[in-house]
Amino acid sequence: MKTKILFIAMCMMPVVSNAAIPYRVEQVKMPVGDSETYASEHRFYIGGAYNFSMWQNFTDENNISISGDNSSGYDANIGLRITDIFRLEASYIHSDAKWNQFSFSSDSAMLNMIIDARINSIYQMFHTQMILPYVGIGAGASWNSADDGVHLDTKMSPTLSALAGISVEFNPIFALDFGYRYFYVFDPETDIVTDFNPSAHQFRAGVRIGF
């Protein structure tokens, strides 16, 4: 009797093993790192934005004051998604500014580090997230020029920025951006005011195209 039971058990082993194969295959094919699926499928993007800049008033140590006007500008961007929630973005920013005594223009190259609040990367129950808040910081350099007889001792200055906003992602390829950026240019050393640091509150609207 024991011999028959042992023989039947040995015959059943291949059947049990074959039954386990689909389960093992399914385990192997399950996605790994699913929280970074979006970034891996849409790694790069390009974009552009319109900037409405509110340039700040400035008073130097000699009590000389200048009043900033509002102006328009633009930027062009190319980005790399490292993960679903973190991306690097290189920006070219053109700004025109005017104070009551002179005009100032800058062409800036900046690298931004941006964090996206992509909820469905953490909670997979949210498979579609159209509204995507973000925050970021940036640093770079600005090439400056001025007119109205103003002399600049420094043609190139460091720049810093802080930005926040909301992206409206219609699909994985096309998105609209609405945001704010604080833009700061270190002292370009004018001959009118000392220690002049142009800064602006910029309100932005733009588009991004992923690929």
Side-chain angles (χ1 to χ4, degrees):
M1 177 63 70
K2 292 182 179 180
T3 304
K4 290 183 178 180
I5 294 176
L6 180 60
F7 177 77
I8 295 173
M10 294 179 63
C11 292
M12 290 296 293
M13 287 180 63
V15 177
V16 174
S17 299
N18 290 334
I21 289 176
Y23 175 71
R24 291 199 300 269
V25 171
E26 184 179 355
Q27 283 186 314
V28 171
K29 290 184 177 181
M30 287 181 66
V32 177
D34 192 53
S35 62
E36 300 180 8
T37 299
Y38 181 81
S40 63
E41 293 180 353
H42 305 280
R43 183 70 69 185
F44 301 96
Y45 64 88
I46 57 175
Y50 163 80
N51 305 315
F52 178 76
S53 301
M54 302 173 62
W55 294 93
Q56 302 302 289
N57 302 335
F58 183 81
T59 302
D60 69 2
E61 59 185 9
N62 299 318
N63 207 32
I64 298 176
S65 298
I66 55 176
S67 300
D69 293 337
N70 301 334
S71 67
S72 297
Y74 61 87
D75 58 59
N77 310 300
I78 180 168
L80 169 66
R81 294 186 180 90
I82 306 300
T83 68
D84 276 5
I85 63 173
F86 178 72
R87 53 190 165 103
L88 295 176
E89 184 178 274
S91 298
Y92 163 75
I93 305 170
H94 177 77
S95 301
D96 292 311
K98 186 173 178 61
W99 286 266
N100 54 342
Q101 292 180 319
F102 65 96
S103 297
F104 175 86
S105 296
S106 66
D107 294 288
S108 304
M110 303 194 71
L111 181 64
N112 306 303
M113 295 182 292
I114 301 173
I115 296 176
D116 293 321
R118 193 177 298 281
I119 299 174
N120 63 333
S121 297
I122 304 172
Y123 304 106
Q124 291 300 311
M125 67 181 70
F126 299 97
H127 289 289
T128 57
Q129 182 184 357
M130 190 173 182
I131 306 299
L132 185 68
Y134 64 87
V135 295
I137 57 174
S142 176
W143 288 262
N144 311 311
S145 62
D147 56 14
D148 299 329
V150 175
H151 175 71
L152 296 180
D153 292 333
T154 304
K155 299 295 184 180
M156 186 177 73
S157 304
T159 57
L160 292 176
S161 68
L163 57 156
I166 293 175
S167 295
V168 183
E169 294 188 342
F170 293 94
N171 53 54
I173 297 176
F174 182 77
L176 295 179
D177 276 344
F178 302 96
Y180 163 83
R181 176 171 61 206
Y182 179 72
F183 184 70
Y184 186 91
V185 181
F186 286 88
D187 187 9
E189 299 181 11
T190 70
D191 57 355
I192 292 182
V193 291
T194 60
D195 298 324
F196 174 52
N197 301 294
S199 61
H201 299 291
Q202 297 181 327
F203 299 91
R204 310 170 62 235
V207 298
R208 282 190 290 117
I209 299 175
F211 55 93

